[in-house]
Amino acid sequence: MFELVQAVLRSDEKSDLRQLIAKFRSTDKKYLLRNEILQAFEQTCHSLNKPPYFFHSSRLGELIQLTHEVLLEDESLWIILRPRIARQVILRLSSDLSGVDLMPAEALLDLRDRLVNRYEPGILEIDVQPFYDLDLTIQDPRSIGEGLACLHRFLAAELGKDPQQWTQSIFEVLRGHQHSGMSLLINDRIHSGEHLQQQVGEALALAHHAVPHASYEDIHLELQSVGFEPGWGSTVAQARETLELLARLLQKPDPGVLEALIERISVIFKVVLISIHGWVGQDGVLGRPETAGQVAYVLDQARHLDRKLTLDIHNAGLDRFGVKPQIVILTRLIPDCDGTQCSLPLEQVQGAEHTWILRVPFRDGADSVLQQWISKFDIWPYLERFAYEAEQALLAHFQGKPNLMIGNYTDGNLVAFLIARRLKVPHCMIAHALEKPKYLFSDLYWQDLEERYHFSLLYTADLIGMNAADFIVTSSYQEIMGTPDTTGQFESYQCFSMPQLFHVVNGIELCSPKFNVVPPGINERAFFPYHLTQERTEAEGDRLAHLLFTQEDAQILGYFKDPDKRPILNFAPINATKNLTGLVECFALSQDLQDRCNLVVLTGKLHPSEAINAEEQSEIETLHHLIQQHDLEGRIRWIGRPISSMDLGEAMRAIADRRGIFVHSARFEPFGLTVLEAMTSGLPTFASQFGGPSEIIEDNISGFLINPTNLEETANRILEFLERCDAEPNYWENISERAIHRVQDRYNWNAHTTKLLALANLYWFWNQLTPHNREALFRYLELMFHFIYKAGASKLLEHPHHFKS
């Protein structure tokens, strides 16, 4: 990259660069982002009468295509290049273009502070890079998110360097495995790794002489006498296969054999899923609008983990010895809970035999229980006390320690860190949607936003949680690394400034094998194809069709003059990121769309008085204004009431019955669970190209990607689809079927839980082998917790600022 800039400066294109810089400076902005940079370059090319190829193929064009940020000082120009995913190069050009310097991240962070007039010398710098093992980093960016495979290869190669140590390590891991005081796999009749090698042969000889389909119990006492305990399989044949894998592994460390053995051994029995700030319930309550997706995810994940663990325990032969899975969804107890069950300390999850919701209250500085729900942005002062009380409640419920902590969102992962650190159990992080990428420049201007959002606490907690986690589960690759044109969610934490608080020089190692892409499934009871008529009831279909198209009440705005038009559906909470206002404006500005379609908007609220914060209130008011300004009466229905997952599924099928479409208009979507739900219902789906939908949808094959900020282009894409539907009678059905198959093939809970538990097994195994390899990192994170996070949370507790519920 340095050479590319020098080549531009030595060529005739230097004068073109000078013109471009003048264009930058004419904007009076000190900070330009990628879209602004490309727009300025396009205008410069036009004004200089450059040929079309110049924009992409010239040396200057190549340089600008790689430029993601430009920062303007009086005496210099700084450009931040992204030559490949997750790699940043910082260059400073002198104002007269006489020289170029390669700059460190620290200098860039100082500059950012100066540009917002908040520079402070000697600021705290956070750098986690020294705590990561460079030998364990993934070199090929295309393999980022495949930590499971990477770690298997590394373990086999590393431990295979010393065969004697390898066998001893395997012995020590197996010897330490137990459940509720009962030894599993091997007992104290086996004394060492070398002895284990000998005894595996004895065990296999016993298994080979037994009837293959006989129960493990038939040979239990014989195997116990040579040092082996239950956990190898439910039948003689299964136990023999697992023991053969162990024998092969002890002879030669092979990644494939290691992976197969670890997946067959049951080590996870007690799992905690932490989802704190939402209303986690079942009957009549499924989160607030800001958390409904997360709560649905956690409940679905818990139910499928219940089934998968039950199956794994059976296949390991442990159910006959009294072993059962135990799963807890840990959340907050809310006494003032609008008549729901969110005030119950313990509630069994419907459709899951071994899963419970465990609720622990928040307490304030006076030790009083907080009575009401509070926003996710305001919960930070209560988490440390919550973690301590939750730990005691979990130990009592499980009658011992859990085997795995799964944190959801920032708060859940901070609590998971605090509990997992003390109990020394593996911690899995699921972020769902990191907040930092949603709020442009929220790091630089955090002080202006602190009263409402408390970003200083949120981003500190993110740094702690993502570095503390043993492994991180994301729904898509780009959550980690982004795309060639966009920054990944986790990538945005690599290098950033919180002026006058701290600088993050290296916030997370993106090439760590802790990252794993494990897409979720969907609630198949609620969301299934519209043409499965045997799964639907006429009464429910009529009720939801009435709600969507004809029902009148105080929470519904609008009617349809021509109800036979093709319906467009959008379902989303009301916030700026979801961009409902953009969709309504897109519809309002396209007379062709209005002539051919009706618009149905499903949200949780209709009136400004229902908003829980200023952002929601502003979005609701803007929606009302757009409808009135563009006279959309008779062409739009806004249904502003909460809707259950079951009803939403039937609503989507009702839209599909009328050959409608689904438009997901979010400016940025971290993953896109609603997109999956619409597609599996059979709706041709248009969704944002920014974020997870670009991995879900094969553009023009199983759906359509749109730029939701380009309203004219979005309208044209929808109209092109409608015109093709008119020209080709089966086109709607073809896209619908491809959408259904895409989701069924790639996004299902069985695959999700299988990989999640394979990861948990592997990282459990890894921690047994290297129990102290991360102690220095944990100490560093504890300092951040006590001296940055806890100090700020204590101040917030003195002056709480809660949004209304």
Side-chain angles (χ1 to χ4, degrees):
M1 291 303 99
F2 188 80
E3 292 77 12
L4 177 60
V5 176
Q6 288 185 317
V8 170
L9 296 181
R10 289 194 297 263
S11 72
D12 294 340
E13 295 176 15
K14 181 176 181 178
S15 61
D16 302 321
L17 175 58
R18 199 184 305 278
Q19 292 292 324
L20 177 59
I21 294 172
K23 181 69 176 177
F24 290 157
R25 293 193 182 277
S26 71
T27 64
D28 292 328
K29 291 183 177 181
K30 296 292 186 181
Y31 208 131
L32 288 87
L33 298 178
R34 179 170 172 77
N35 285 340
E36 297 169 308
I37 296 165
L38 291 174
Q39 185 179 27
F41 183 49
E42 184 178 21
Q43 293 170 351
T44 301
C45 290
H46 180 74
S47 66
L48 295 175
N49 296 316
K50 294 295 182 182
Y53 79 86
F54 191 85
F55 184 80
H56 291 285
S57 302
S58 64
R59 280 170 294 196
L60 179 57
E62 183 182 349
L63 176 67
I64 296 304
Q65 300 302 322
L66 297 174
T67 302
H68 279 246
E69 297 175 57
V70 167
L71 294 87
L72 298 163
E73 277 195 306
D74 292 338
E75 299 301 322
S76 61
L77 169 94
W78 296 55
I79 57 175
I80 291 85
L81 303 174
R82 200 162 172 263
R84 61 180 175 85
I85 284 177
R87 182 163 181 259
Q88 176 177 276
V89 175
I90 306 160
L91 298 176
R92 183 182 64 187
L93 282 70
S94 60
S95 58
D96 60 359
L97 300 185
S98 61
V100 56
D101 298 305
L102 185 65
M103 303 300 291
E106 292 87 342
L108 173 64
L109 298 176
D110 283 342
L111 172 62
R112 286 176 174 162
D113 290 359
R114 290 197 299 272
L115 292 181
V116 296
N117 297 316
R118 284 173 177 163
Y119 173 70
E120 185 175 283
I123 193 170
L124 172 67
E125 292 184 345
I126 294 172
D127 185 356
V128 300
Q129 188 69 46
F131 301 105
Y132 283 87
D133 186 347
L134 293 180
D135 292 334
L136 254 175
T137 55
I138 297 172
Q139 301 304 313
D140 185 351
R142 293 171 297 182
S143 297
I144 303 292
E146 298 176 8
L148 180 67
C150 171
L151 205 50
H152 276 304
R153 290 192 298 269
F154 179 82
L155 271 174
E158 191 68 18
L159 295 177
K161 295 174 183 177
D162 186 341
Q164 186 174 0
Q165 180 58 43
W166 166 257
T167 56
Q168 185 64 21
S169 297
I170 295 289
F171 160 72
E172 290 173 356
V173 170
L174 299 182
R175 181 178 61 177
H177 186 35
Q178 61 173 351
H179 173 67
S180 298
M182 178 177 70
S183 292
L184 301 177
L185 300 177
I186 66 176
N187 57 40
D188 57 10
R189 290 185 175 89
I190 298 177
H191 311 298
S192 66
E194 185 178 354
H195 192 206
L196 175 63
Q197 278 187 306
Q198 298 170 3
Q199 295 304 96
V200 169
E202 294 284 336
L204 281 170
L206 291 171
H208 277 290
H209 285 94
V211 178
H213 62 264
S215 168
Y216 179 88
E217 291 172 287
D218 292 353
I219 59 171
H220 167 53
L221 293 178
E222 292 179 274
L223 288 180
Q224 193 176 54
S225 68
V226 296
F228 293 85
E229 295 291 344
W232 299 100
S234 62
T235 65
V236 170
Q238 285 179 325
R240 189 169 66 197
E241 289 171 3
T242 310
L243 287 166
E244 285 173 346
L245 287 171
L246 175 62
R248 289 173 59 191
L249 192 65
L250 291 172
Q251 291 172 2
K252 181 181 179 182
D254 177 88
V257 176
L258 176 63
E259 182 174 2
L261 177 65
I262 291 177
E263 287 186 8
R264 288 179 72 104
I265 294 174
S266 264
V267 299
I268 306 298
F269 309 108
K270 302 173 181 179
V271 181
V272 182
L273 293 83
I274 308 177
S275 179
I276 299 172
H277 60 272
W279 290 57
V280 179
Q282 302 174 90
D283 294 325
V285 57
L286 192 64
R288 289 300 203 203
E290 67 176 21
T291 59
Q294 179 189 137
V295 174
Y297 178 107
V298 170
L299 284 168
D300 283 341
Q301 186 186 59
R303 292 188 183 102
H304 285 83
L305 278 173
D306 191 311
R307 296 172 200 167
K308 176 61 177 169
L309 283 173
T310 299
L311 178 63
D312 287 352
I313 288 170
H314 170 74
N315 288 338
L318 293 174
D319 53 340
R320 299 181 183 181
F321 294 88
V323 177
K324 295 179 180 179
Q326 291 177 273
I327 299 170
V328 162
I329 299 174
L330 175 65
T331 190
R332 184 193 158 205
L333 185 147
I334 308 173
D336 186 359
C337 61
D338 296 347
T340 70
Q341 293 183 299
C342 292
S343 61
L344 293 180
L346 198 63
E347 178 188 0
Q348 187 167 14
V349 171
Q350 299 161 8
E353 185 179 353
H354 310 289
T355 303
W356 295 79
I357 300 172
L358 176 65
R359 300 185 177 95
V360 175
F362 282 173
R363 297 185 188 276
D364 62 18
D367 207 34
S368 300
V369 172
L370 257 65
Q371 298 295 306
Q372 293 151 340
W373 174 85
I374 56 176
S375 167
K376 63 183 180 181
F377 293 111
D378 292 326
I379 64 174
W380 311 110
Y382 311 105
L383 295 183
E384 184 178 20
R385 175 70 177 270
F386 176 88
Y388 175 78
E389 294 189 5
E391 179 183 331
Q392 306 310 307
L394 289 170
L395 291 172
H397 181 86
F398 286 132
Q399 294 296 295
K401 298 195 304 184
N403 306 121
L404 176 65
M405 311 282 298
I406 301 177
N408 291 272
Y409 192 69
T410 305
D411 51 1
N413 281 292
L414 185 69
V415 169
F417 159 67
L418 294 172
I419 299 176
R421 171 72 168 139
R422 287 194 291 264
L423 298 183
K424 293 182 170 49
V425 297
H427 165 198
C428 164
M429 176 184 189
I430 300 179
H432 296 292
L434 294 166
E435 296 292 334
K436 186 172 174 291
K438 296 181 187 177
Y439 298 89
L440 188 62
F441 298 132
S442 56
D443 48 359
L444 281 177
Y445 293 99
W446 70 270
Q447 287 144 307
D448 300 332
L449 304 166
E450 189 71 356
E451 183 178 358
R452 175 180 294 180
Y453 295 113
H454 311 300
F455 285 140
S456 66
L457 297 171
L458 199 159
Y459 297 163
T460 301
D462 275 332
L463 289 169
I464 293 170
M466 64 181 64
N467 284 289
D470 291 272
F471 62 102
I472 297 173
V473 164
T474 70
S475 299
S476 64
Y477 173 88
Q478 61 187 287
E479 286 179 55
I480 312 167
M481 308 291 281
T483 68
D485 296 329
T486 60
T487 301
Q489 291 186 62
F490 283 91
E491 184 185 356
S492 72
Y493 285 79
Q494 263 194 314
C495 179
F496 67 96
S497 171
M498 303 284 281
Q500 300 174 335
L501 182 65
F502 57 68
H503 282 174
V504 176
V505 178
N506 283 291
I508 182 66
E509 175 51 71
L510 296 174
C511 297
S512 166
K514 71 164 59 182
F515 284 103
N516 291 272
V517 177
V518 188
I522 57 169
N523 181 347
E524 295 170 359
R525 295 173 302 121
F527 301 97
F528 54 84
Y530 72 98
H531 52 64
L532 296 183
T533 53
Q534 70 276 15
E535 303 294 330
R536 304 172 65 183
T537 64
E538 185 176 350
E540 286 299 290
D542 290 344
R543 181 174 67 84
L544 268 299
H546 178 53
L547 172 69
L548 293 173
F549 302 110
T550 57
Q551 183 173 325
E552 297 180 11
D553 66 36
Q555 290 303 118
I556 299 176
L557 175 69
Y559 68 97
F560 291 141
K561 290 179 182 177
D562 183 357
D564 294 329
K565 289 181 182 178
R566 194 186 298 265
I568 297 173
L569 176 67
N570 180 287
F571 167 78
I574 295 181
N575 60 55
T577 302
K578 295 303 181 185
N579 193 34
L580 290 174
T581 56
L583 174 60
V584 172
E585 187 173 6
C586 172
F587 183 74
L589 294 176
S590 173
Q591 189 59 51
D592 288 341
L593 270 185
Q594 294 179 47
D595 290 343
R596 304 183 67 155
C597 300
N598 290 320
L599 178 60
V600 182
V601 178
L602 272 175
T603 73
K605 294 163 187 174
L606 179 64
H607 306 290
S609 59
E610 297 165 350
I612 64 169
N613 57 47
E615 180 183 300
E616 265 194 9
Q617 182 176 331
S618 174
E619 290 293 301
I620 293 172
E621 290 172 347
T622 302
L623 283 170
H624 281 287
H625 174 71
L626 287 169
I627 292 169
Q628 294 170 4
Q629 177 188 6
H630 296 282
D631 190 22
L632 296 179
E633 184 177 353
R635 293 180 287 277
I636 184 172
R637 276 173 62 83
W638 176 359
I639 301 165
R641 56 166 57 183
I643 186 169
S644 69
S645 293
M646 300 300 288
D647 280 357
L648 177 59
E650 188 57 35
M652 289 180 169
R653 290 187 288 274
I655 297 292
D657 290 337
R658 291 158 176 79
R659 297 303 184 261
I661 63 175
F662 185 83
V663 179
H664 190 73
S665 55
R667 291 189 178 94
F668 174 81
E669 178 56 51
F671 175 56
L673 185 59
T674 308
V675 171
L676 292 179
E677 293 166 348
M679 290 172 67
T680 201
S681 301
L683 282 173
T685 298
F686 294 74
S688 173
Q689 68 191 44
F690 306 119
S694 65
E695 291 185 37
I696 295 172
I697 291 174
E698 303 160 290
D699 195 24
N700 289 313
I701 298 174
S702 57
F704 305 91
L705 296 173
I706 58 174
N707 178 351
T709 62
N710 189 325
L711 304 184
E712 182 179 0
E713 181 184 289
T714 296
N716 288 338
R717 287 225 73 186
I718 297 173
L719 288 168
E720 287 170 6
F721 169 77
L722 299 179
E723 288 167 4
R724 191 162 176 185
C725 287
D726 292 342
E728 302 175 31
N730 295 324
Y731 187 62
W732 187 97
E733 284 78 6
N734 290 340
I735 296 295
S736 173
E737 283 301 312
R738 291 174 195 161
I740 292 168
H741 291 149
R742 175 72 171 175
V743 177
Q744 291 176 341
D745 290 346
R746 292 175 60 95
Y747 301 95
N748 63 82
W749 281 113
N750 289 333
H752 174 94
T753 51
T754 296
K755 187 168 182 180
L756 179 65
L757 290 174
L759 286 164
N761 283 2
L762 175 61
Y763 285 96
W764 172 87
F765 189 88
W766 172 254
N767 284 341
Q768 303 303 308
L769 288 176
T770 56
H772 304 298
N773 68 327
R774 299 203 304 147
E775 186 63 25
L777 173 60
F778 281 134
R779 295 293 187 189
Y780 190 76
L781 299 177
E782 284 173 341
L783 287 172
M784 289 175 59
F785 174 78
H786 284 285
F787 290 102
I788 304 175
Y789 176 88
K790 193 171 177 180
S794 298
K795 292 179 183 177
L796 180 57
L797 191 59
E798 296 170 6
H799 305 285
H801 171 70
H802 296 157
F803 295 140
K804 62 184 178 180
S805 62

